[in-house]
Amino acid sequence: MEIWINPACSKCRSAISLLDAEGAEYTVRRYLEDVPSEDEIRGVLDRLGLEPWDITRTQEAAAKELGLKEWAQDDSSRDRWIAALAAHPKLIQRPIITADDGSAVVGRSEDAVRDALARK
C-alpha cells in the first residue's frame, strides 16, 4: 500500500497514525516533492473511480489563479485537469491511499482509511 501525503496536512498525519496503529505496511510518498506524472494521476484516478475534478482542491490559491471553477468538467477537459494537477500537485486532494488489491481511496476520514486497510 502507498499513501500520498503532505506532512503539513492534519488529515494525512491522522491517516498515518491509524495505519501505524493497525500495523499496516505502507510506503509514504510526499507528493509535493515526488510529484506524480500525468500518467500516474490517470492511474490513481482509475483506481479511485473518480475524475480529476473530484480530487482537486479548488480553494487553493493555484486553483483560483487558474480559474478552475470555470473549467468544464467533461471528457474533453479531463486531460487539461490532469495536466493542472501534475503541474500544481498542491491541488491534489490528500491523503490518497492505494491499496494492494488495485483500488484506492481518498483517506480524509477514519472510515476511508479503514476501508483501505480492509483491502490489503
Side-chain angles (χ1 to χ4, degrees), residues 58-98:
T58 58
Q59 298 305 313
E60 292 289 334
K64 292 176 182 175
E65 289 170 19
L66 293 169
L68 289 183
K69 287 190 175 185
E70 314 307 316
W71 289 14
Q73 296 181 2
D74 57 26
D75 284 345
S76 66
S77 301
R78 192 171 198 266
D79 287 342
R80 182 181 187 200
W81 281 85
I82 291 170
L85 293 174
H88 306 278
K90 196 169 189 179
L91 295 176
I92 300 172
Q93 191 60 261
R94 58 190 183 250
I96 293 177
I97 303 169
T98 55

Side-chain angles (χ1 to χ4, degrees), residues 15 18-19 95 97 105-118:
L18 182 54
L19 293 174
I97 303 169
V105 299
V106 178
R108 295 192 56 76
S109 69
E110 183 176 326
D111 287 344
V113 176
R114 289 196 183 284
D115 182 38
L117 283 165

Side-chain angles (χ1 to χ4, degrees), residues 2 11-13 23 28 58 83-84 87 101 119:
E2 181 177 78
K11 300 278 186 193
C12 293
R13 291 191 306 270
V28 170
T58 58
D101 72 352
R119 299 173 187 217

Side-chain angles (χ1 to χ4, degrees), residues 4 9 12 18 25 27 31-32 38 45-46 49 53 57 59-60 62-63 65 67 86 89 96 114:
W4 291 9
C9 168
C12 293
L18 182 54
E25 291 184 24
T27 303
Y31 71 93
L32 297 179
E38 290 183 28
L45 287 167
D46 288 345
W53 45 86
R57 298 171 55 84
Q59 298 305 313
E60 292 289 334
E65 289 170 19
I96 293 177
R114 289 196 183 284

